[in-house]
Each structure stands twice: as structure tokens, then as C-alpha cells.
Amino acid sequence: MADRRLVCLAALALFTGCGGGRARPTADESRDPGGTGATGAGAPTPAQGRVLTGADDGFTGRLEVGQTAQLRLPLPEGGPEPTTQGESVLLIPISNVTATGHREWELRAVREGTTRISVPRPATSPATLTFVVP
């Protein structure tokens, strides 16, 4: 009886592929885990849904077309605005209807390329955020 159960379990494992439901990555996927064209540890961090600030100086992130992140800076209203270099990510101001104590922008990936955002910071040089859209 036990031998029959063992045979059934072995057959079931063969037919269902008892590998945990995930396929092994191909050689190309293991060298480029995010599919960005970058290799290994230098691949940009996924940025979708992240809230970034001036403290994130040097950040490099990846957004797919249509994905968004957020930039949040302290008030004052009318203070220096962030600027962009590149056309792959739009910097869209968000109008807050309540007193939140900060200003916000949506960062929306719209086309393939690289965009650098310069974020003004009081009493220091601007922070730079880089976004790669594959």
C-alpha cells in the first residue's frame, strides 16, 4: 500500500512539476533580473509607488511606461521647484486640498529613456534623482 502511494506521489510530482510554481530564469534573465538592459547589481531599483524626497540624492530607479512614483518636498509654497532633464518621466504637480505641510509631484513614466530630476534643498546642493524607463 505504501509503495503504491509513493508511486502516485512521484507521478504527481512529475506531471505537476513540483518546482514551487516558478520557472528557473534563463541565462539572460539571471544576468538582467529586471529586464532593463542593465546587468547584475547595477540594475535600477523598481520605483513604482515610492515616495522620494530631497534626502534620496543619488537615487536611480526604474519605472515602466504608465507607472508612477511620488516626489514630496517640504513647504513653503512658491519655493524652488524641481526641474527635469529628459522626456521619459513627467513631473506633475499635485494640488493638495488640505494643509499637509509639504508639496507633492507625481512622477509618471511616459516613454522609453532616462530622466534626471534636480531637487532643490535648502543650504546644500540640489539632490539628483534618475529614472530609467525601458
Side-chain angles (χ1 to χ4, degrees):
M1 179 82 157
D3 290 334
R4 184 175 178 167
R5 285 185 195 163
L6 185 59
V7 169
C8 288
L9 285 175
L12 182 62
L14 265 173
F15 291 119
T16 60
C18 70
R22 284 181 34 171
R24 285 188 177 181
T26 65
D28 289 337
E29 289 172 338
S30 60
R31 282 192 299 255
D32 181 13
T36 64
T39 58
T45 303
Q48 180 177 7
R50 285 190 71 152
V51 177
L52 300 157
T53 68
D56 291 303
D57 188 21
F59 174 82
T60 298
R62 182 183 74 250
L63 288 171
E64 302 288 331
V65 171
Q67 291 182 336
T68 63
Q70 194 172 24
L71 175 62
R72 184 176 293 161
L73 299 178
L75 289 173
E77 285 294 329
E81 298 281 320
T83 57
T84 62
Q85 180 183 12
E87 298 179 354
S88 61
V89 174
L90 296 178
L91 185 65
I92 304 167
I94 298 174
S95 297
N96 291 319
V97 293
T98 61
T100 59
H102 56 267
R103 301 174 289 157
E104 296 179 20
W105 290 263
E106 178 182 281
L107 308 171
R108 181 179 300 169
V110 293
R111 66 178 56 93
E112 186 177 318
T114 300
T115 295
R116 284 179 184 72
I117 299 176
S118 179
V119 180
R121 296 186 293 182
T124 187
S125 61
T128 301
L129 309 175
T130 303
F131 293 91
V132 176
V133 181

